[in-house]
Amino acid sequence: QVQLVESGGGSVQAGGSLSLSCAVSGHTYSGFMAWFRQDPGKAREGIAFIECDGRKSYADSVKGRFAISKDNGKNTLYLQMNNLELEDTGMYVCAAAAPGSGDFCPNEFLFWGRGTQVTVSV
């Protein structure tokens, strides 16, 4: 069973930066991972994705400001968030698909963390 635990959230002024981490435990994991943002009353939104081969993609709203990365040795996923905007406020949740590597890279997210809150203020 893959368990995901996020950390690094907090309150920051607009224009500031935060770095989120997602520790994967219970399994030496490699596979498709992502960060989602959950706002109250809204659908969960995919923010940043990293595939088994390291390819990365981002929501248009965060391109050029956020960077996703993964340290397989540390079993940890990261999200570097720069030039934060008020609209970036929300609960950031880490997600992982079934384990995979290379061309075999399942993309259905089966495992979810509980999230870490990010609040951006003026």
Side-chain angles (χ1 to χ4, degrees):
Q1 181 72 14
V2 175
Q3 296 173 330
L4 308 174
V5 179
E6 302 92 339
S7 61
S11 298
V12 63
Q13 287 187 322
S17 299
L18 279 175
S19 181
L20 305 183
S21 299
C22 172
V24 183
S25 63
H27 196 283
T28 300
Y29 178 84
S30 65
F32 195 172
M33 297 191 74
W35 287 97
F36 286 75
R37 184 170 64 222
Q38 179 73 64
D39 297 323
K42 295 184 179 180
R44 189 179 287 164
E45 177 188 9
I47 296 297
F49 304 84
I50 185 165
E51 300 182 38
C52 299
D53 61 2
R55 281 182 293 176
K56 304 171 186 180
S57 57
Y58 300 91
D60 287 343
S61 60
V62 306
K63 278 181 183 176
R65 300 188 298 118
F66 289 13
I68 189 172
S69 61
K70 186 168 59 171
D71 187 331
N72 289 331
K74 294 183 178 180
N75 244 17
T76 302
L77 179 73
Y78 301 98
L79 184 67
Q80 178 64 41
M81 306 187 295
N82 299 324
N83 194 18
L84 282 159
E85 301 172 353
L86 298 180
E87 293 75 16
D88 296 322
T89 293
M91 182 70 75
Y92 285 72
V93 181
C94 172
S101 63
D103 292 336
F104 177 70
C105 193
N107 59 10
E108 179 184 3
F109 295 107
L110 302 178
F111 309 104
W112 298 85
R114 294 188 176 185
T116 184
Q117 178 68 35
V118 171
T119 303
V120 185
S121 59
V122 296

